[in-house]
Amino acid sequence: QVQLVESGGGVVQPGGSLRLSCVTSGINFSLYTMAWHRQAPGKQRELVADITTDGRINYADSVKGRFLISRNTAANTVYLQMNSLQPEDTADYYCKAARRYTYYWGQGTQVTVSS
């Protein structure tokens, strides 16, 4: 059974930081591109960042220079370090594992940026 379990969300003030984690099981983690997406209330889900099996990274323009994605193959885990958080970063954040035409999603973790 494939599982992607996100953690690390919460409430933070503007300018603050959070680190999200996504622990996977049931897949060969090293073969999957891992990504973080987010969905704000009333908006479509959007890509935040992804990291390929060989470490190539892509960021949405809105988070470049503030967020950092990384992966630890030994731990079957992908991370998202989020710095300088702003109210517009408020959303549910989802982890995704992708390989060819196969996708798996986590259940999401909520991030709220508010003073």
Side-chain angles (χ1 to χ4, degrees), residues 19 36 51 57 59 68-72 77-80:
R19 188 193 195 207
W36 287 96
I51 181 166
I57 291 173
Y59 293 103
L68 178 66
I69 189 171
S70 61
R71 62 191 294 163
N72 182 332
T77 302
V78 62
Y79 305 96
L80 186 68

Side-chain angles (χ1 to χ4, degrees), residues 3-115:
Q3 286 190 309
L4 281 69
V5 181
E6 300 99 332
S7 63
V11 180
V12 63
Q13 292 186 340
S17 298
L18 284 173
R19 188 193 195 207
L20 306 183
S21 299
C22 172
V23 180
T24 70
S25 60
I27 61 171
N28 187 337
F29 181 81
S30 64
L31 298 181
Y32 283 76
T33 291
M34 300 301 300
W36 287 96
H37 292 246
R38 67 185 180 187
Q39 187 166 17
K43 294 189 177 182
Q44 289 188 332
R45 192 173 296 191
E46 63 176 359
L47 175 68
V48 175
D50 60 23
I51 181 166
T52 65
T53 57
D54 59 355
R56 287 174 289 141
I57 291 173
N58 174 55
Y59 293 103
D61 287 343
S62 59
V63 307
K64 281 181 181 176
R66 299 189 298 124
F67 290 11
L68 178 66
I69 189 171
S70 61
R71 62 191 294 163
N72 182 332
T73 299
N76 296 325
T77 302
V78 62
Y79 305 96
L80 186 68
Q81 177 68 42
M82 305 187 295
N83 300 320
S84 302
L85 283 161
Q86 299 302 317
E88 52 266 34
D89 295 315
T90 295
D92 291 325
Y93 284 72
Y94 297 89
C95 172
K96 186 178 81 171
R99 180 173 185 249
R100 297 177 182 172
Y101 303 108
T102 301
Y103 303 89
Y104 301 103
W105 290 94
Q107 293 298 309
T109 185
Q110 190 172 58
V111 172
T112 302
V113 184
S114 175
S115 56

